[in-house]
Amino acid sequence: MRFPCVYMGPMNLAIAGYGGGTLGRNPYHWMEFLRQVPQGASATFWTSMRGLIPISAMAIVLGQHVRVGNEDNLWGPDKKRRTTVQQIEGAVRICKEFGRKVATAEEARQIMKIGVWYDSVEETLHNLGLPPTRKDGQTGFLVWETDGKKAVAKTGGDSHPMAYCMVPPTQVAAE
């Protein structure tokens, strides 16, 4: 039985760790989630209170994106109130410490492929790095045709392979 595909666009995932029915703050759970994210998807991590700084640092080191702000978090590690601007400044400091470039608004739109739509299910799967749709009676492991060459490295973005997302600290310092 085939089901119609309604959405044919990029995949942007947000993983929230609050506990109480959502993902907790165990880094192994976050890594397992990340392991299953398709290569062509963009993942954003966010959490609250004491988890904000360590989870944000882990996400940044792993080439992921972070979300901060008063709608999720009201205080910092010293348990004193932090404004959204102060939380953003903290995330920027972590990025600089680990050699990650902070995206401009336009770069963020490009990374998340805002306004991008695909013309078919197959194009959507291909852009996510997922195998093609299995045809009736088709068995075995499905792959896309390829020229066998390694893809061009990316300088920050959608996480896989993780090494592609890191920007050399010298480049960050120069900007």
Side-chain angles (χ1 to χ4, degrees), residues 109-175:
R109 286 184 193 93
Q110 290 173 356
I111 289 167
M112 298 186 76
K113 302 174 185 153
I114 303 298
V116 171
W117 296 98
Y118 304 121
D119 294 326
S120 68
V121 172
E122 296 304 308
E123 184 182 1
T124 304
L125 293 171
H126 190 267
N127 280 289
L128 287 173
L130 295 171
T133 304
R134 187 177 302 279
K135 309 221 180 340
D136 289 335
Q138 194 173 21
T139 60
F141 186 72
L142 301 181
V143 295
W144 296 100
E145 289 294 322
T146 177
D147 61 7
K149 295 179 182 175
K150 190 173 183 179
V152 176
K154 299 173 185 169
T155 57
D158 60 2
S159 81
H160 296 285
M162 289 178 198
Y164 284 0
C165 289
M166 299 305 286
V167 177
T170 53
Q171 182 178 345
V172 172
E175 293 177 1

Side-chain angles (χ1 to χ4, degrees), residues 1 4-5 9 18 35 40-41 51 58-59 62 64 82 84 87 90 101 107 116 126 137-138 145 148 151 153 174:
M1 172 186 264
C5 180
Y18 295 111
R35 187 185 68 77
M58 182 177 82
L62 294 173
Q64 304 309 300
R82 292 285 194 271
T84 295
Q87 291 177 49
K101 181 186 180 303
E107 289 168 335
V116 171
H126 190 267
Q138 194 173 21
E145 289 294 322

Side-chain angles (χ1 to χ4, degrees), residues 54-123:
I55 293 296
S56 293
M58 182 177 82
I60 289 166
V61 166
L62 294 173
Q64 304 309 300
H65 309 289
V66 297
R67 171 184 157 168
V68 297
N70 278 347
E71 67 279 3
D72 300 312
N73 198 52
L74 299 174
W75 44 269
D78 57 2
K79 297 186 181 176
K80 292 184 180 172
R81 188 179 188 294
R82 292 285 194 271
T83 65
T84 295
V85 170
Q86 289 171 317
Q87 291 177 49
I88 293 168
E89 290 169 345
V92 168
R93 275 193 305 276
I94 295 170
C95 287
K96 287 181 180 177
E97 288 292 324
F98 289 109
R100 286 288 306 276
K101 181 186 180 303
V102 176
T104 64
E106 184 54 37
E107 289 168 335
R109 286 184 193 93
Q110 290 173 356
I111 289 167
M112 298 186 76
K113 302 174 185 153
I114 303 298
V116 171
W117 296 98
Y118 304 121
D119 294 326
S120 68
V121 172
E122 296 304 308
E123 184 182 1

